[in-house]
């Protein structure tokens, strides 16, 4: 016979250390000892391997469910501290993942149907239950609840994937270019712990005067709020650039948008913007707390290796650190006739290079790595650098942060 563990009102049910891990634990919420004995006999005759715990009020049931353990609840709808569907609502709130089967009287079959509509898995009418039906009801209720939870988890995963896709389209757009003399390579790698895109973003657009504008940025933190803020900043940047806003005014407007849209004052964003002039010999750079960039010079003497340098133009504070008080200065750089610029977020060089130490690759280490691949064409160069960084960071657990890269290559005009 299944064990009937009697709990007095207010007494906490405890775990049985000798319980069979393969048996079901059924929590009976019933204030009538006669009905409790009937349920015990039905359970024994149903040949279901189960242990019955008995409590006499909804309050005791909620305490038992909060402590965890029961696989199913048998709930009478008339209890000292709850009548009708009110008790069911309290039990479902205490343990929304636990299936509930309600017990009704002979004249209350309508109440059973209402309980199923309200969230119960099934109902049983006292006095009309055979052991086989009782056992099947318990098993099927548990299986249906598990199937519901699996379907809900699958739907949540589908929605998460759709949201990720929407965020990715917003954060990582296709370049908007009319010119054919600038080749753009973009890459994004999520950090190892990120199920969702972080706040890294980039964009490349060409304005009507032939200037190729580029932005790369990184919103502090990870998660949907940061990703949404990154999307907002990226779209705002494209809109501002195409309407003629450039230079420090561009960063000031982006900061206004960031402070208005961020979920908390602790969020900030590092940003670099480039304006590659139509002659491809000059580029105007603005940095707001963002890392430097790599300059590849490929127009040296025939047969000479390309030269790669880390360039760090003047840098002001990140957006949102001191709202309305920052002063960003635009710096113009001279460019080789044939060359490339690579912008990146800090995830590319901040990975740990050992499992125990705190050493990181750093921007100098990244530059040295890039120089070993300087002879490769744009797409292969970018992929080789990212792959090399991942290899170096592998002993430290891989790249912990998201990585975004934009590589602009031009030929002599």
């Amino acid at each position: 016979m299944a064990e009937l563990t009697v709990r007095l009102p207010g007494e906490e049910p405890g775990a049985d250390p000798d319980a069979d891990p393969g048996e079901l634990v059924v929590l009976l919420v019933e204030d009538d000892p006669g009905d409790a004995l009937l349920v015990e006999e039905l359970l024994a005759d149903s040949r279901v391997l189960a242990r019955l715990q008995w409590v006499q009020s909804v309050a005791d049931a909620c305490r038992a469910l909060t402590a965890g353990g029961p696989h199913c609840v048998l709930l009478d709808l008339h209890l000292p501290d709850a009548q009708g569907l009110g008790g069911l609502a309290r039990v479902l709130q205490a343990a929304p993942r636990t299936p509930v089967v309600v017990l009704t009287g002979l004249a209350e079959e309508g109440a059973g149907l209402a309980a199923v509509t309200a969230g119960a898995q099934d109902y049983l009418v006292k006095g009309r239950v055979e052991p086989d039906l009782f056992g099947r009801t318990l098993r099927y209720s548990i299986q249906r609840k598990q199937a519901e939870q699996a379907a809900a988890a699958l739907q949540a995963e589908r929605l998460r994937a759709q949201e990720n896709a929407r965020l990715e389209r917003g954060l990582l757009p296709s370049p908007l270019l009319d010119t054919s003399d600038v080749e753009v390579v973009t890459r994004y790698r999520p950090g190892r712990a990120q199920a969702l895109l972080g706040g890294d973003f980039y964009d490349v657009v060409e304005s009507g005067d032939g200037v190729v504008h580029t932005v790369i940025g990184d919103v502090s933190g990870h998660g949907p709020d940061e990703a949404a803020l990154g999307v907002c900043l990226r779209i705002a940047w494209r809109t501002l650039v195409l309407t003629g806003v450039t230079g420090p005014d561009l960063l000031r407007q982006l900061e206004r948008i960031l402070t208005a849209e961020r979920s908390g004052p602790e969020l900030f964003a590092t940003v670099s913007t480039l304006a590659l002039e139509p002659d491809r010999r000059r580029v105007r750079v603005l940095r707001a707390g963002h890392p430097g960039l790599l300059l590849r010079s490929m127009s040296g003497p025939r047969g000479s290796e390309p030269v790669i340098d880390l360039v760090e133009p003047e840098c002001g504070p990140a957006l949102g650190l001191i709202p309305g008080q920052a002063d960003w200065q635009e710096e113009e750089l001279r460019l080789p006739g044939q060359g490339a610029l690579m912008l990146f977020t800090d995830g590319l060089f901040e990975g740990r290079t050992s499992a125990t130490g705190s050493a990181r690759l750093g921007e100098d280490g990244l530059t040295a790595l890039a120089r070993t691949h300087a002879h490769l064409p744009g797409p292969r160069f970018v992929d080789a650098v990212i792959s090399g960084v991942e290899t170096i960071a592998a002993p430290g657990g891989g790249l912990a942060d998201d990585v975004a890269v934009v590589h602009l290559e031009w030929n002599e005009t």
Side-chain angles (χ1 to χ4, degrees):
M1 177 178 290
E3 177 185 358
L4 178 64
T5 306
V6 179
R7 304 290 177 193
L8 298 177
E11 183 182 357
E12 294 282 346
D16 183 356
D18 299 322
D20 185 338
E23 73 178 352
L24 298 177
V25 178
V26 179
L27 178 66
L28 173 63
V29 191
E30 171 63 73
D31 65 329
D32 188 324
D35 286 341
L37 180 61
L38 175 63
V39 170
E40 179 191 17
E41 293 174 347
L42 285 170
L43 185 60
D45 294 340
S46 70
R47 298 187 299 278
V48 174
L49 180 61
R51 177 166 53 92
L52 191 67
Q53 290 185 338
W54 176 32
V55 296
Q56 295 173 285
S57 69
V58 170
D60 287 342
C62 290
R63 281 192 287 270
L65 290 165
T66 301
H71 297 92
C72 183
V73 176
L74 292 173
L75 175 67
D76 183 39
L77 291 181
H78 300 287
L79 295 164
D81 58 347
Q83 293 291 315
L85 299 182
L88 174 63
R90 289 169 60 186
V91 169
L92 291 174
Q93 182 178 13
R97 299 175 63 86
T98 302
V100 178
V101 177
V102 300
L103 302 173
T104 68
L106 292 175
E108 297 178 313
E109 191 163 353
L113 292 171
V116 171
T117 302
Q121 285 296 314
D122 210 337
Y123 71 95
L124 294 170
V125 180
K126 297 176 183 178
R128 289 187 179 176
V129 183
E130 297 297 328
D132 288 345
L133 173 61
F134 183 83
R136 285 197 303 273
T137 300
L138 289 183
R139 288 193 296 267
Y140 291 170
S141 296
I142 293 171
Q143 291 170 359
R144 279 196 300 271
K145 191 68 174 181
Q146 291 172 344
E148 286 178 4
Q149 292 166 359
L154 180 59
Q155 178 65 10
E157 185 60 33
R158 287 173 177 165
L159 292 174
R160 188 178 299 113
Q162 292 171 0
E163 183 65 17
N164 282 358
R166 285 193 293 269
L167 288 170
E168 184 172 353
R169 287 194 298 272
L171 288 167
L172 317 176
S174 299
L176 182 59
L177 294 175
D178 294 322
T179 186
S180 59
D181 65 335
V182 177
E183 180 185 8
V184 178
V185 178
T186 59
R187 295 289 186 268
Y188 175 84
R189 292 285 190 279
R192 65 170 183 264
Q194 303 307 316
L196 183 70
L197 289 170
D200 290 13
F201 61 93
Y202 60 74
D203 202 354
V204 181
V205 299
E206 182 180 355
S207 53
D209 55 4
V211 176
V212 175
H213 300 267
T214 304
V215 67
I216 192 165
D218 183 2
V219 177
S220 60
H222 301 280
D225 288 341
E226 291 78 8
L229 184 56
V231 173
C232 180
L233 291 175
R234 202 280 303 168
I235 294 173
W237 176 87
R238 177 176 281 204
T239 303
L240 289 166
V241 167
L242 292 178
T243 54
V245 181
T246 60
D249 285 344
L250 174 60
L251 293 186
R252 282 191 281 269
Q253 294 302 324
L254 288 178
E255 184 175 64
R256 288 184 62 195
I257 293 167
L258 179 143
T259 55
E261 296 292 336
R262 63 185 174 182
S263 59
E266 72 283 355
L267 288 183
F268 62 91
T270 67
V271 174
S272 282
T273 71
L274 305 182
L276 181 61
E277 297 291 350
D279 62 8
R280 312 309 181 217
R281 293 302 184 96
R282 294 168 297 133
V283 64
R284 289 177 280 118
V285 183
L286 273 168
R287 288 202 299 154
H290 203 77
L293 54 152
L294 295 180
L295 173 60
R296 302 176 70 198
S297 302
M298 295 175 283
S299 56
R302 183 177 298 276
S304 63
E305 284 289 318
V307 177
I308 294 182
D309 293 304
L310 177 67
V311 180
E312 297 181 285
E314 185 170 346
C315 187
L319 305 184
L321 286 183
I322 49 173
Q325 302 179 48
D327 183 24
W328 297 283
Q329 298 297 320
E330 189 172 58
E331 184 172 336
E332 184 174 279
L333 303 178
R334 298 296 297 178
L335 300 174
Q338 183 181 7
L341 288 167
M342 189 173 93
L343 299 87
F344 45 86
T345 53
D346 59 9
L348 190 61
F349 60 83
E350 286 197 337
R352 298 182 183 276
T353 57
S354 67
T356 56
S358 59
R360 299 180 186 274
L361 178 63
E363 290 174 278
D364 290 338
L366 175 63
T367 304
L369 171 65
R371 285 171 178 158
T372 66
H373 303 293
H375 61 285
L376 296 175
R380 291 177 58 195
F381 169 77
V382 173
D383 290 337
V385 171
I386 295 175
S387 178
V389 169
E390 290 175 330
T391 300
I392 293 172
L399 298 178
D401 201 358
D402 302 318
V403 172
V405 174
V406 179
H407 182 273
L408 302 175
E409 185 172 348
W410 61 91
N411 295 313
E412 291 182 286
T413 57

